[in-house]
Amino acid sequence: MKSAIIIFFSLLGFYGLKAQHTHKGAKPLFYPNIEGYVTLKTDLHMHTVFSDGNVWPTIRVQEALRENLDAISLTEHLEYQPHKEDIPHPDRNRAYHLAMAEAKEHDLLIVPGSEITRSEPVGHSNAVFISDANKLLHDKPESAFEAAKEQKAFVFWNHPAWYRQSPTGDPILSDFQKKRIENGELHGIEVINTGDYAKESLALALEQNLTIMGTSDIHGLIDWDYTEKGMHRPITLVFTKEKSLSSLKEALFAGRTVAVYNSLLVGKVEFLKPLLKASIKINSATYHEESQVLAVELENVSSSDLLFKNAMPYNFYSKAPIFTVKAGEKETIQLKTLKNIETIDLKLKALKAYTAPNENPIVEWKLTID
Ligand code: ZN
């Protein structure tokens, strides 16, 4: 009897422990790897009570685990500290250390970061992969950027299209930023921040060769701002050689990213096309019996609903030429090929994917017909 009780409790302990390590929430994010790279899901812009956020750093870690992210950064405003009276913290690395302790048992990378916060024309920028946030505290913004460079940080321009800094809602590349880019002190730009995608920011990213970023800039709860509304937070997919901090940093400097906000995907063509291609698995391609109508089953293995337009010379049978393959779901299209063929280049234009302002990539899959 006694041993049965012991077995019972040890099983309880075992399963209890296992349960404790299943942190995925109701809507975990999934994106496929692309050829030669591991796809990491990251959110490198968020806040806690250590600046103007409303939660303790541990919550940010738990939210990230629930959404199945691979890397996050707590980027507290260095200069804007509204909770300082209640939560004094002479060490500006404190939020990072608390997040590190929380993430220790988990497969989540914590990137040390800070937000350099000024009014326009300097604006806000995140320095990530820093070694000491305290050393970024300077009166002159130029000195803060210099210090970030000394720490070999990756620095990106936050919400350049924010109407409170740029009243037209269009980003303005100031002389300050031009100088930072020239000095190798500014490497990336948010094209998606919170819910806002600015195509003008994408134009700047391409023109200045800055890394394309998408971030939540969350201050409250991910659940309230996104999940509860049936959405995911904006993220940056980073195509890395392996899942590690050093690989993530290398890939950010190399510009291997796609910014994602639910069904919207924004990135350089050389990364966005392979991502879309890998996101759709072709399960089958078969002619209906004694006909020239070819049924092709597509499966979306990503967490973004994908909106496509037929870009082939063949018309669709029984479906509009614009259609959605929902995240994680299957969809069959039927092509009228007019004669029986053995191979086909399936070509679809991804209508909510942007490789430049107003430019949608056409993705191709080579199919052999069963
Ligand atoms: Zn911020």
Side-chain angles (χ1 to χ4, degrees), residues 67 86 153 161-162 241 252 305 328:
E67 234 176 342
D86 297 308
W162 188 27
K241 287 173 186 158
L252 285 169
D305 291 345

Side-chain angles (χ1 to χ4, degrees), residues 44-64:
L44 302 181
H45 188 172
M46 46 179 96
H47 298 274
T48 77
V49 289
F50 286 88
S51 61
D52 60 344
N54 303 316
V55 305
W56 197 251
T58 50
I59 297 296
R60 292 286 175 248
V61 172
Q62 291 163 18
E63 286 175 329

Side-chain angles (χ1 to χ4, degrees), residues 164-178:
R164 282 173 62 183
Q165 289 194 323
S166 175
T168 59
D170 286 350
I172 302 158
L173 187 72
S174 69
D175 289 342
F176 180 85
Q177 275 122 12
K178 283 181 195 157

Side-chain angles (χ1 to χ4, degrees), residues 14 18 37 41 66 119 147 154 213 225 248 254 259-261 268 286 291 346 370:
F14 175 71
K18 273 201 88 171
Y37 296 112
K41 305 169 291 293
R66 291 178 69 78
S119 49
F154 174 80
M213 306 291 292
D225 286 7
L248 175 59
V260 179
Y261 181 43
K268 290 177 182 154
T286 332
S291 82
L346 184 71
D370 307 334

Side-chain angles (χ1 to χ4, degrees), residues 45 47 77 115 217:
H45 188 172
H47 298 274
H77 295 286
E115 182 160 2
D217 199 357

Side-chain angles (χ1 to χ4, degrees), residues 6 57 166 176 218 287:
I6 290 168
S166 175
F176 180 85
I218 186 77
Y287 277 108

Side-chain angles (χ1 to χ4, degrees), residues 26 137-138 156 166 175 181 192 250 257 273 302 328 342 370:
L137 273 168
H138 288 277
F156 58 96
S166 175
D175 289 342
I181 294 169
I192 303 174
E250 182 274 331
T257 62
K273 259 196 188 185
S302 83
E342 282 168 10
D370 307 334

